[in-house]
Amino acid sequence: MDSKEGAGPTESCPEGGELVPCEVQAIPEPYQGMEFESEEAAKVFYDEYSRRTGFVMRVMGCRRSDIDGRILARRLGCNKEGYCRGKSASVRKPRQSTREGCKAMILVKCDKFGKWIVTRFVKDHNHPLVVSPREVRPTMDEKDRKIQELISELRTKRRLCALYQDQLTAFVKEVEEHNNQLSKKVQIVVNNLKKFDPVEMELSHHR
């Protein structure tokens, strides 16, 4: 369940078999109008927000352009969104469904300038929120540790990828602005030269 208003961010840490609140580094809460340089940057942010808040992010549906098929909007939500569609036909004992119909989500849309804007944010979850401990448990076997390392490495690379993409986008915009300014200056010079042509012709006639 969401923490009460005014309460600081907490993390549930194991201590004597019980979950106790621990202070964690705060992360901004999404809001309508929040901007990102790319869809990937929005995913990285919401993934970090979900881990700090105490739920698992699910990459949900998207809307694509009818012209070129590019993604125009993306919905990111909680992994407990929706409900289980039905019982498994397997003879094995079915696993307990993790779907609880949670409505928490953000909707990001790409505007005409290429920015990804949060146009909708649903904060409340219909289930308890539990922040996972940061440290790997000593009881983990080698396989679990390897998986944890790979997940951590993937998250780092995703953050770096989003950062590099933001820097590249900013550089391209700067180059475009420079080219536009240079084109305007060249056009001014050309226009000035055209103005001087009739004057030069007139002077040549008087010589």
Side-chain angles (χ1 to χ4, degrees):
M1 208 72 65
D2 291 324
S3 57
K4 295 181 179 179
E5 185 177 356
T10 60
E11 180 178 61
S12 299
C13 304
E15 183 176 307
E18 298 181 354
L19 294 177
V20 295
C22 302
E23 292 186 359
V24 295
Q25 184 179 357
I27 186 171
E29 185 176 274
Y31 58 87
Q32 289 189 16
M34 193 174 195
E35 293 186 2
F36 300 96
E37 291 294 332
S38 63
E39 178 194 0
E40 184 63 25
K43 289 179 182 178
V44 170
F45 166 80
Y46 198 63
D47 181 50
E48 183 69 16
Y49 169 77
S50 68
R51 293 192 302 111
R52 297 291 180 88
T53 305
F55 66 99
V56 177
M57 180 189 77
R58 180 189 297 276
V59 179
M60 302 162 74
C62 67
R63 182 167 64 86
R64 294 182 178 273
S65 168
D66 294 332
I67 299 175
D68 55 15
R70 66 188 179 93
I71 297 177
L72 301 176
R74 170 70 72 181
R75 198 157 55 100
L76 306 171
C78 176
N79 73 325
K80 294 184 181 295
E81 175 266 348
Y83 295 95
C84 184
R85 293 187 177 182
K87 294 182 179 180
S88 172
S90 173
V91 295
R92 294 179 299 177
K93 183 178 180 180
R95 293 181 298 175
Q96 184 178 2
S97 173
T98 60
R99 303 293 188 94
E100 298 183 19
C102 183
K103 302 292 185 182
M105 54 82 75
I106 64 170
L107 178 64
V108 288
K109 294 183 178 180
C110 183
D111 66 9
K112 60 182 180 180
F113 302 107
K115 297 280 189 179
W116 285 77
I117 314 296
V118 176
T119 59
R120 187 182 178 195
F121 170 49
V122 179
K123 175 181 177 180
D124 295 333
H125 295 255
N126 65 347
H127 55 88
L129 301 177
V130 180
V131 180
S132 302
R134 293 182 178 220
E135 296 182 359
V136 180
R137 296 180 180 178
T139 54
M140 275 187 161
D141 58 22
E142 187 62 29
K143 181 180 178 181
D144 291 332
R145 280 195 294 271
K146 186 63 177 178
I147 292 174
Q148 190 71 19
E149 290 172 1
L150 291 174
I151 291 174
S152 178
E153 183 179 353
L154 177 61
R155 284 172 176 161
T156 300
K157 289 184 177 180
R158 286 176 64 183
R159 293 190 188 97
L160 288 174
C161 182
L163 176 62
Y164 293 152
Q165 187 171 358
D166 292 347
Q167 292 176 345
L168 179 59
T169 301
F171 175 74
V172 170
K173 288 183 178 179
E174 185 177 347
V175 171
E176 290 177 351
E177 291 176 0
H178 178 73
N179 287 340
N180 290 335
Q181 293 176 0
L182 186 60
S183 298
K184 290 178 181 178
K185 291 180 180 179
V186 171
Q187 188 62 43
I188 291 174
V189 172
V190 171
N191 292 337
N192 289 336
L193 290 175
K194 288 180 179 179
K195 291 179 182 178
F196 283 115
D197 284 345
V199 175
E200 186 178 356
M201 290 178 63
E202 184 177 352
L203 290 174
S204 64
H205 288 314
H206 289 288
R207 289 175 184 174

